[in-house]
Amino acid sequence: MELYTLIENTSSRQDIKAEHGLSLYLETGNCHILFDTGQSGAFADNARKMDIDLTTIDICIISHGHYDHGGGIRRFLSENTTAPVYINEYGFQPCFSGTEKYIGLDQELLQTDRIILVPGNMHLSKKITLCTMPDISEPVHSQTDNRLYTVYNGSLIPDSFRHEQYLLIQENTKRILLSGCAHKGIINIMEYFKPDIMIGGFHFMKTPLNKAGIWNIQQAAKKLCSYHTQFYTGHCTGTEHFKLLQEIMGNSIHYLSGGTHISV
C-alpha cells in the first residue's frame, strides 16, 4: 500500500503547506482512497504539488466529526465530482471545544447527495471495511481532551466519540488500521483491533509534559511495544510527545509529516 501525507501539523517540504489537521491519500490494490481532508482546502493544493490527481480518488472517508479532519470536504467535492464521502451516522452531531467553540462539520453538507452516513460497520469491498468500536464509559489509557463536548437533549455533555470510525484494510497478509485521532484511546483501539500496522494520530498532544504526563506517555509507549505493530503517527500525537514515544518504541514508530510518501 502506498501512503501519502497530504497535510499534517508539520511539513517535510518548503512547498507543502502545514495546518492543524490531517489528510492522507492511499493507493491499495485498485482503489484510491482519501482519508480525511484537513481543516481547509490546503490538502488539495498539496496534492497537486505531490502529483496526485484527486479526480482519480474512488472513495473519501472522514474519520470523525471534527473540523480539522472534515473541513476540506467541500473542496474535495469540487475537485472530484464522483467519489462518495463516508461519514459515521453521528458525524454531524454538534461538537464543541469548551462551551463555545464549535469544532464540528459544516451542517449544510448534509444536503449533499454524495455524503453517505455509515450506521456502524460497513464493508466497502472484500478488503476494505469501515469499523466502529463499542462506547467506552471509562476509557483505559485514553489521552483524549476532556474539554471536548457534544450536544444531547439540548445540553452540552462530554463527547463519547461515537462519531469516530476506523478504516481497516487487508493488504496481503497484513491488517492495516487507520484512525484520525484515536479519541477513544489508542490502547483501547489496539486492544480491540490488534492490527499489524496502525496509522493516525494518538491524541497525546494535550498531555502536559510534566513528571506525571511524561510517565503516562512512557507507560503507553511500553504497552504499544507489546503489540508488535508498526506505527505511523502525527497530527494530534504531538511532536514532543512523539519523541518520548520513539525513545522507547524505536523503529516501530514513525512520524507522518506533510509531503511524505511511504510504502507499507
Side-chain angles (χ1 to χ4, degrees):
M1 185 181 83
E2 302 302 312
L3 172 65
Y4 299 80
T5 306
L6 300 187
I7 207 157
E8 194 264 341
N9 299 37
T10 65
S11 174
S12 64
R13 292 168 39 176
Q14 288 187 345
D15 62 332
I16 295 296
K17 298 176 184 177
E19 68 182 19
H20 177 75
L22 184 67
S23 180
L24 305 173
Y25 168 70
L26 316 171
E27 293 180 355
T28 177
N30 60 356
C31 190
H32 296 178
I33 303 171
L34 182 66
F35 185 83
D36 285 342
T37 64
Q39 66 167 284
S40 71
F43 80 95
D45 299 327
N46 287 348
R48 189 168 290 110
K49 294 172 184 176
M50 296 171 69
D51 296 322
I52 293 171
D53 184 358
L54 296 180
T55 66
T56 67
I57 288 175
D58 300 298
I59 55 177
C60 174
I61 294 159
I62 303 301
S63 62
H64 61 293
H66 286 170
Y67 76 103
D68 52 331
H69 295 260
I73 293 175
R74 197 174 295 279
R75 175 71 182 273
F76 175 71
L77 294 173
S78 69
E79 295 276 344
N80 180 304
T81 60
T82 58
V85 179
Y86 292 92
I87 302 174
N88 181 270
E89 62 180 332
Y90 301 110
F92 284 91
Q93 69 182 35
C95 293
F96 292 85
S97 177
T99 59
E100 296 181 356
K101 183 182 178 181
Y102 182 75
I103 60 171
L105 301 180
D106 181 354
Q107 298 290 316
E108 292 183 1
L109 288 169
L110 278 169
Q111 308 304 316
T112 305
D113 58 8
R114 286 168 59 195
I115 299 290
I116 298 177
L117 299 181
V118 182
N121 299 338
M122 177 183 287
H123 294 289
L124 303 183
S125 72
K126 286 185 178 180
K127 296 184 177 181
I128 301 175
T129 305
L130 289 176
C131 306
T132 57
M133 58 182 290
D135 286 340
I136 301 170
S137 57
E138 295 183 9
V140 178
H141 301 291
S142 176
Q143 299 292 330
T144 196
D145 190 341
N146 60 10
R147 296 174 301 170
L148 299 180
Y149 293 89
T150 188
V151 175
Y152 182 76
N153 286 341
S155 300
L156 279 176
I157 62 170
D159 199 339
S160 67
F161 304 106
R162 62 180 181 173
H163 52 97
E164 189 168 74
Q165 62 181 0
Y166 315 94
L167 174 61
L168 181 63
I169 298 173
Q170 185 74 35
E171 183 83 352
N172 299 320
T173 60
K174 296 178 180 178
R175 297 174 71 253
I176 303 170
L177 188 72
L178 284 89
S179 169
C181 272
H183 280 294
K184 288 197 171 186
I186 183 58
I187 292 176
N188 300 319
I189 293 168
M190 288 299 300
E191 279 291 306
Y192 189 78
F193 291 103
K194 295 182 172 64
D196 299 297
I197 297 172
M198 178 73 206
I199 300 168
F202 294 175
H203 218 279
F204 287 145
M205 67 184 301
K206 295 295 184 179
T207 302
L209 293 179
N210 53 26
K211 184 175 181 180
I214 291 172
W215 186 87
N216 285 334
I217 296 294
Q218 291 171 336
Q219 295 308 302
K222 292 174 183 177
K223 180 63 177 177
L224 292 173
C225 285
S226 70
Y227 294 102
H228 306 292
T229 296
Q230 282 292 310
F231 297 91
Y232 297 87
T233 190
H235 178 45
C236 58
T237 298
T239 53
E240 294 304 311
H241 301 74
F242 171 81
K243 292 175 184 177
L244 288 171
L245 293 167
Q246 193 175 45
E247 286 177 3
I248 293 174
M249 300 176 68
N251 291 332
S252 69
I253 190 168
H254 314 272
Y255 197 89
L256 294 174
S257 191
T260 58
H261 165 219
I262 60 173
S263 298
V264 297

